[in-house]
Amino acid sequence: QVQVVESGGALVQPGGSLRLSCAASGSISSINYMAWYRQAPGNQRELVADITSGGSTNYASSVKGRFTISGDNAKNTVYLQMNSLKPEDTAVYHCNVHAKPYSSISYSAYWGRGTQVTVSS
């Protein structure tokens, strides 16, 4: 019913920048929350940043001041601008969307498969 697809991951040098995109599609009535998580090998998945449909944002302390999350409600899309990248930012970045399909009366969480970000010289 709801598909979530991330894009924009790449190999980048330390200090570089990347912009990730996440698009939700399908039979969507509304979205009230979108977030970026990341998971490095051997680590648990962690919240990087999130944004509500009203525009409120929240960031992990490790990325605050370097990453910016933004959304386009009309396109059901969320972006993650990542600047001053560090090797420790290397991970698979997953998008999480809380959406209500037309066939449902409640919101559910949907995940994308992720996009790889590698920060290395």
Side-chain angles (χ1 to χ4, degrees):
Q1 288 179 324
V2 177
Q3 297 80 43
V4 178
V5 178
E6 305 96 335
S7 62
L11 169 64
V12 63
Q13 291 187 341
S17 298
L18 277 178
R19 188 192 195 210
L20 305 183
S21 299
C22 166
S25 62
S27 185
I28 299 172
S29 172
S30 66
I31 293 174
N32 65 3
Y33 173 89
M34 301 181 85
W36 286 98
Y37 284 74
R38 67 186 180 187
Q39 186 167 19
N43 290 358
Q44 290 187 335
R45 189 172 294 188
E46 63 174 356
L47 176 67
V48 176
D50 60 24
I51 185 168
T52 67
S53 57
S56 297
T57 59
N58 175 57
Y59 296 91
S61 57
S62 59
V63 306
K64 199 170 292 185
R66 299 188 298 122
F67 291 10
T68 302
I69 189 170
S70 61
D72 185 333
N73 292 339
K75 295 181 179 179
N76 291 337
T77 299
V78 65
Y79 306 97
L80 186 68
Q81 177 66 42
M82 306 186 294
N83 299 328
S84 302
L85 282 161
K86 304 175 181 180
E88 50 263 43
D89 294 318
T90 296
V92 177
Y93 283 70
H94 295 271
C95 183
N96 174 247
V97 176
H98 291 193
K100 183 162 65 74
Y102 283 107
S103 61
S104 175
I105 61 172
S106 61
Y107 288 85
S108 297
Y110 300 87
W111 290 92
R113 292 190 173 186
T115 185
Q116 176 71 47
V117 173
T118 303
V119 184
S120 175
S121 55

